Amino acid sequence: MRPVRLCAVSAALAAISLAAVSGCAEKADAGGEGAIKVTATDDSCEVSRKTFPAGHVQLAVENKGSKVTEVYVLYPDGRIVTERENIGAGTKAEVTAEIKAGDYEIACKPGMKGDGIRQKVEATGGGKPAKRDPKLDAAVSAYRDYVLEQAELTLPKAEKFAEAVKAGELEKAKKLYAPSRIGWERTEPVAESFGTLDPKVDLREDGLEDGQDPEKDWTGWHRLEKSLWKNKKITTTDKKLADQLVKDLTTWQEKVGKAEITPTSMANGAKELLDEVATGKVTGEEERYSHTDLVDFKANVEGAHKSYELLEPVAKKNDAALVKELDTQFAALDELLDTYREDDGKDADEYAFTSYDEVGKDERKKLSDGVNALAEPLSKLAAAVVK
C-alpha cells in the first residue's frame, strides 16, 4: 500500500533520489487546451470546470501548497476512477482518464491523509463509452483475466500463510509471508479502486489516520509481519487477524472480476505501481521487519509490465518512440533486479531475493535510478493510448 509520506521525509531519502518517480519532481508544465485545471493548496482544491464532456478527460494538476498532495477522481460511493499521488509542493502533474457520464468528486489530499478536500463535478453526455480502438477493448478483457488469475493464485497462498500463523508455526509463517503477497502486489491499483479494501489488507502502521488505534484498527499483512519478525511471537490476536486477512482477500477475489477497468486506468495503474516501488520498496519502508522488499518490488514491476504489454500495440502505433524507450527501461530494470535473485528464477511465484537490509546505500541508489528511468516514460502511456 502507498505510504503516507512527505516528499522530503529525510536526508536519507533525498540521498537516494526518489523524487523523480513521485510527483515531487514532476516539474513539466501540465495540461493542454481543454484540460481541467486542478489547483491544490494546503486548504483548498479548486477546479477550473465543474462540468465537462464524458470521454477522455485530462486533469492538469498544480500543487501550490507546502505539502505533498494527491488528487483523485472518485465515484459518489468513494470508489476510485483515477488518481495521481505524491505531487510535491510547487510541482505539476498531468492525468489522462476515461470517464463515463455521471456525477463524481475531485479530491485533493494535502499531506496525503484523510478524505481530502472535495469538489463535486459532472461528466455530461449520453453515457456512451469513449470511442476506442478495438485492440484496447481486447487489452482490457485480457487484463481483467490477468487480475482475476492473480487473485485466484493469491488466495490459496494466503490461506497457507494463515494456517501457519494459526498453528503457531513462526518460521513456516515467515517463509510463506512474501509469496502470499505477490499476486496482490502485481495488481494493487485494482484493489485500491475498491476504497476500504486495500487499507484492511495492506496498511502499514505509519499509514493509520490520526485517532486510529494500532491495536484495534490495524489489520492485514503488515500487522502480522510485525508480529513475526519484530515481536517474534504469534498471539491469539494474530490468529484472528490471519482469519480476517483470508476473509478480506476472499472479498477481493469476488470483486476483481467486476472492477471498472479502462485502457487509461491500466496505464495509470502501471505508473502507480512504479510509485509503489519508489515510495516503499526502494526505501525499505514497505517490508521494514521482514526485509522482503525486493519480492514486492519485482511483483510491482511485473504488474506494470503486464499492463504495458497489453497496451503496447496501440501505444506503438501512436508513439513508437515512447514504446522503444519503455522496452529499453523495463529490460534494464528487470536485469538489475535479477542480480539480487537467490534462486534460479524458474518459479515466478516462489522466487527468493536478497534480504533488503543487506542492500547498501549505493545499490539502493542504482535501484532508485532504474525506477526513475522507467517511471518518467511510463507516465506518458495513458496519453499515448488515447491519441
Side-chain angles (χ1 to χ4, degrees), residues 350-371:
E350 299 290 349
Y351 51 65
F353 282 90
T354 301
S355 180
Y356 204 58
D357 57 343
E358 297 176 11
V359 179
K361 180 179 177 181
D362 290 344
E363 292 174 293
R364 294 188 185 198
K365 174 63 164 59
K366 289 179 182 178
L367 288 166
S368 175
D369 289 344
V371 173

Side-chain angles (χ1 to χ4, degrees), residues 269-305:
K271 174 60 166 63
E272 290 162 26
L273 285 169
L274 265 290
D275 289 344
E276 281 277 312
V277 175
T279 59
K281 282 68 175 185
V282 171
T283 65
E285 295 172 85
E286 179 81 4
E287 306 288 358
R288 61 190 65 185
Y289 305 115
S290 67
H291 305 299
T292 56
D293 303 87
L294 287 172
V295 179
D296 290 359
F297 190 142
K298 180 65 173 178
N300 285 156
V301 174
E302 287 174 337
H305 189 269

Side-chain angles (χ1 to χ4, degrees), residues 216-233:
K216 296 179 180 178
D217 301 317
W218 187 23
T219 61
W221 269 303
H222 293 303
R223 172 77 184 271
L224 292 168
E225 178 204 4
K226 183 176 181 180
S227 294
L228 296 174
W229 273 273
K230 184 177 182 180
N231 301 336
K232 296 181 172 57
K233 62 181 181 180

Side-chain angles (χ1 to χ4, degrees), residues 66-83:
S66 63
K67 301 176 182 179
V68 65
T69 195
E70 52 193 21
V71 171
Y72 291 78
V73 178
L74 302 169
Y75 292 103
D77 62 5
R79 288 178 297 123
I80 298 170
V81 179
T82 192
E83 63 180 301

